[in-house]
Amino acid sequence: MKPTSSETQIARMELANRLFFRLYQCANLLHKTGSRAVESEGLTTQQWAVLGALSREEAQAGMGVNELARYLMVSRQNLAGVIGRMERDGHIRVETGEKDRRSRLIKLTDSGRHVWLVQAQPKIHAYYEQALDQFSIGDLSHTLHYLLKLLDNMRRLDQGPEEPADAG
């Protein structure tokens, strides 16, 4: 007997609830265990993410605060505290924009680059190996594919409903 559309919808919502709860648990454990992996370097997962973002080739000239917040998908307010601590620790520097004196550009310092490349990365790679134990290349590829698909849908939700086209 084929399930009814109502039964299919109930099953879909039960699976969705389980999926999102597991994502929530993964995010919490990523923060907890990821921070533990780099705590000896004085880093948290948020700082790890900032160092990773700023170490990319396309960010060598620095990133604006808004650009960095968008890239990391965090609020400017959440990023402000992280930036303050990282600047205090000498991992990043905040410069005034050349074109717009009101803008702030976040740049990786030589010390921050050293912490990222020499101290943190080996620990992060070891963390990845442990967290992804028994994942095949195919498993990783499929997981990434589905997470990107989910992320695209969630980005659309974050942008809110589109304004209807002007009829006039």
Side-chain angles (χ1 to χ4, degrees), residues 27-156:
N28 288 331
L29 279 175
L30 169 61
H31 176 65
K32 180 181 177 182
T33 60
S35 289
R36 192 180 309 138
V38 292
E39 71 185 348
S40 64
E41 309 314 322
L43 299 175
T44 64
T45 53
Q46 293 93 342
Q47 293 169 330
W48 158 356
V50 169
L51 289 175
L54 294 173
S55 70
R56 297 171 306 127
E57 185 67 36
E58 55 270 35
Q60 293 305 305
M63 294 178 78
V65 175
N66 287 337
E67 179 187 10
L68 183 58
R70 272 191 309 274
Y71 181 76
L72 297 174
M73 296 183 196
V74 297
S75 70
R76 279 180 54 108
Q77 293 78 13
N78 285 347
L79 189 57
V82 174
I83 287 172
R85 286 186 297 281
M86 293 181 75
E87 187 176 24
R88 178 199 69 211
D89 293 342
H91 300 318
I92 62 171
R93 69 178 175 276
V94 181
E95 297 179 358
T96 303
E98 291 180 17
K99 296 177 184 169
D100 180 357
R101 306 302 285 166
R102 294 171 296 164
S103 69
R104 297 181 347 173
L105 202 59
I106 313 300
K107 293 184 176 182
L108 203 56
T109 63
D110 289 341
S111 169
R113 189 171 316 284
H114 176 80
V115 166
W116 174 248
L117 292 173
V118 177
Q119 296 174 283
Q121 287 240 315
K123 292 177 175 148
I124 291 168
H125 291 170
Y127 174 77
Y128 289 162
E129 286 298 326
Q130 291 174 340
L132 297 170
D133 185 40
Q134 299 183 26
F135 274 67
S136 69
I137 293 291
D139 292 339
L140 294 173
S141 179
H142 287 106
T143 302
L144 182 59
H145 168 78
Y146 290 118
L147 287 174
L148 288 171
K149 202 170 175 177
L150 179 61
L151 189 57
D152 283 343
N153 289 343
M154 293 175 82
R155 278 188 187 131
R156 280 194 292 279

